[in-house]
Amino acid sequence: MYINNTIKEIQISDIRKIYEKMQTYEDTINMSLGEPDIDVPEEVKKSVAYHALNTKIKYSPVGGMLELRKKIADFYNKNFDGNFTSDNVLITVGSTEGIASLMKAVITQGDEVLIPTPSYVGYGALIKMTGGMPVYIDLKENNFILTAEILEKHITNKTKMIILTSPDNPSGMTLNEKEMEKITELLKEKEIYLLSDEIYASIVFEKYTSFGKYSEKLKKQLVIISGFSKSHSMTGYRIGYIITNPELQLQVKKVSQYNVTSTSTLSQYGALTALEKCSNRKEISKIYKKRADYFLSELEAMGFKCLKPGGAFYIFAGYENIKELKNLKSLDFAFDLLDKTGLAIVPGSTFQVEGYVRFSLVHDIPVLEEAVKRLKKYMKEIQNN
Ligand code: PLP
């Protein structure tokens, strides 16, 4: 039977392939998925349980509960220098639905969306589903540092959107404030949307700047995407949000309404509690930083060249300096490591960069120590062969 060609050509991500193979082994260490091991805060669980028992859980208002939209605007104004009200905020089914609805609202056939690499795997397919084209910007030559100058060189008359992710998945790198100012100057007169994916903004190891700071200058262009999956480990609750100007909020809301009606009312109660009672994630950030410091130093001691994360919970490690590995495609390296050690990681090709792999730091230090032990053994074996 007939299937839309665009959909036929979209591939299941390599992360899933690794994950599925991992299920066939015993005694594995899963460092592949971006799924936090730290539990959802107790307050959130209690709030959701309370509302399930005591509140009539009906359809939520389209676009989300007003109280939650207000809280998100306040949270952004207080923590990230925004200047938002509830009219700027749209609640979505995870940030993924926010990205999908936004693409549908603004991207059409032949439009180009610029994405610096390495980049989160979710964007490309959603762009293609609207008829648009992801245009990846290779930053390897510039040590993966994005500048306004590089961005400008890639803008054409087909460019409709730029996606910037800070802290980034898979590298954890954050954008430099000076460059953000330059990017703001570059875009402020242009008819190009800036999608700033800030889903890791609460998990940071250093001073962090959100594009919220430039929301006045980029009033027409800016769309911030975020959610509760990473900050509060609420991946299964499927709740995220968009912050943008009220005109665009309305257009995206229409897409969202016809696609999903609204997100779960129970999850919105959970998100409200997350913001009221546990919005500060400094302690969680400290845990991830400790893991990142430990794992990065061990990887570097083995010869990997790692990008220094300013947040999130990943290490993106280059192996082109290691002569036994350098000719391996990242997918082959990831499968070989899994086969020989049970350690599951993600190939850099998933994020459009070869010669690198991503380690998810979603385990306590003792498990990371075991992962290091296995990796060292693997390195020794390939060096002796
Ligand atoms: N954006 C980035 C950069 C991510 O890493 C992820 C998940 O891994 C998402 C968006 C999607 O998150 P969710 O749909 O759970 O909010």
Side-chain angles (χ1 to χ4, degrees), residues 33 43 82 97 120 177 191 212 219 236 242 275 293 352:
L33 296 184
E43 295 95 323
E97 190 258 317
Y120 169 58
E177 191 172 311
E191 292 267 320
K219 226 175 190 142
I242 281 181
L275 290 180
D293 287 347
Q352 309 291 327

Side-chain angles (χ1 to χ4, degrees), residues 16 44 47 73 82 104 141 181 199-200 241 253 278 303 315 324 330 347-348:
R16 287 285 150 191
V44 172
S47 159
K104 220 172 208 172
E141 295 285 288
E181 272 163 27
I199 196 162
Y200 296 98
Y241 54 88
K253 184 160 82 179
C278 37
I315 299 286
E324 295 80 8
S330 56

Side-chain angles (χ1 to χ4, degrees), residues 34 93-97 99 120 123 165 167-169 197 199-200 225-230 234-235 238-240 314 358:
V93 183
S95 67
T96 302
E97 190 258 317
I99 300 166
Y120 169 58
Y123 309 128
T165 313
D168 181 53
N169 173 9
D197 186 335
I199 196 162
Y200 296 98
I225 292 266
S226 191
F228 295 85
S229 290
K230 314 295 171 170
M234 290 167 65
T235 47
R238 306 313 301 133
I239 180 152
Y314 306 106
R358 185 191 78 176

